[in-house]
Amino acid sequence: MQDFIDMYKEAYKINKDVKLDKVLKEGEIEVSEDGYKLNASKDADILEMLGKIKLHTIVNDMRVFKPTTNFMEIIVLAWIYKTMSMHLEVLEMDLLLEKLLIKKEHDPFASYAVLKILEANPTLTGADSSMMDHYLTMELNSELMNQMEEKQKEIN
């Protein structure tokens, strides 16, 4: 499994150490002094976690790992897939999208956001889709994540 991580770490162009750590809970990522530790038992989960790590190296915000609102989680997920799509072969990406759509079949907003950012032209009606479209057109950064938190507070 560590060989798989190392191979895709290189494919994603992650310059820090990424180590498998079975002490962590399944699906957990931890930032360490010299890089990252993760625990996963499935290849597709590892690819998605490496996508999170890659996005974290770009955005450098811990909310990439633990989004504070549902809306932020959807936007971050979409950007993870966008980040991954830049580094994976078409077949690998197809397998991940299939996994995402199966996993998110109860969540049309997450599926919409990922497909939208991958330029697949999905449709979704209502105010949520226009707000999502707005945030998906901008580069993800800490300031944008702050705005998403504030928006969620206004809505609640």
Side-chain angles (χ1 to χ4, degrees):
M1 195 61 83
Q2 185 62 49
D3 291 344
F4 183 82
I5 291 171
D6 292 341
M7 180 174 70
Y8 280 97
K9 179 190 116 161
E10 194 173 305
Y12 286 146
K13 297 175 177 58
I14 298 170
N15 298 325
K16 298 191 177 208
D17 277 346
V18 180
K19 297 290 177 203
L20 186 64
D21 188 342
K22 293 290 184 183
V23 174
L24 299 173
K25 289 190 304 192
E26 182 84 14
E28 191 174 6
I29 300 171
E30 187 179 280
V31 181
S32 67
E33 282 182 26
D34 51 345
Y36 301 89
K37 296 176 185 174
L38 63 84
N39 185 16
S41 56
K42 297 184 187 99
D43 293 353
D45 292 339
I46 286 176
L47 287 176
E48 200 169 343
M49 292 169 85
L50 286 171
K52 276 185 191 175
I53 289 170
K54 177 62 180 180
L55 186 60
H56 181 260
T57 66
I58 297 166
V59 177
N60 198 18
D61 192 312
M62 286 305 290
R63 291 172 293 184
V64 167
F65 299 131
K66 294 184 188 331
T68 58
T69 68
N70 290 339
F71 183 75
M72 185 189 291
E73 187 171 359
I74 290 169
I75 302 298
V76 166
L77 180 77
W79 277 104
I80 288 165
Y81 273 75
K82 177 73 168 186
T83 303
M84 290 162 60
S85 72
M86 294 176 205
H87 302 286
L88 293 178
E89 298 294 325
V90 172
L91 179 61
E92 295 162 325
M93 214 40 221
D94 285 350
L95 291 170
L96 278 166
L97 280 171
E98 188 178 327
K99 172 191 174 244
L100 169 93
L101 294 173
I102 290 167
K103 190 168 79 175
K104 299 288 181 187
E105 64 188 12
H106 63 282
D107 188 351
F109 295 110
S111 298
Y112 171 83
V114 170
L115 293 171
K116 183 81 176 184
I117 206 163
L118 295 175
E119 300 169 2
N121 292 329
T123 55
L124 187 68
T125 57
D128 286 332
S129 68
S130 60
M131 188 160 75
M132 217 175 284
D133 290 347
H134 170 72
Y135 281 105
L136 291 173
T137 58
M138 297 181 231
E139 205 62 40
L140 190 64
N141 57 40
S142 290
E143 191 176 306
L144 193 64
M145 293 173 96
N146 290 341
Q147 284 179 20
M148 283 186 258
E149 268 183 341
E150 290 304 313
K151 275 272 189 241
Q152 195 71 27
K153 286 175 191 168
E154 287 173 23
I155 292 167
N156 295 337

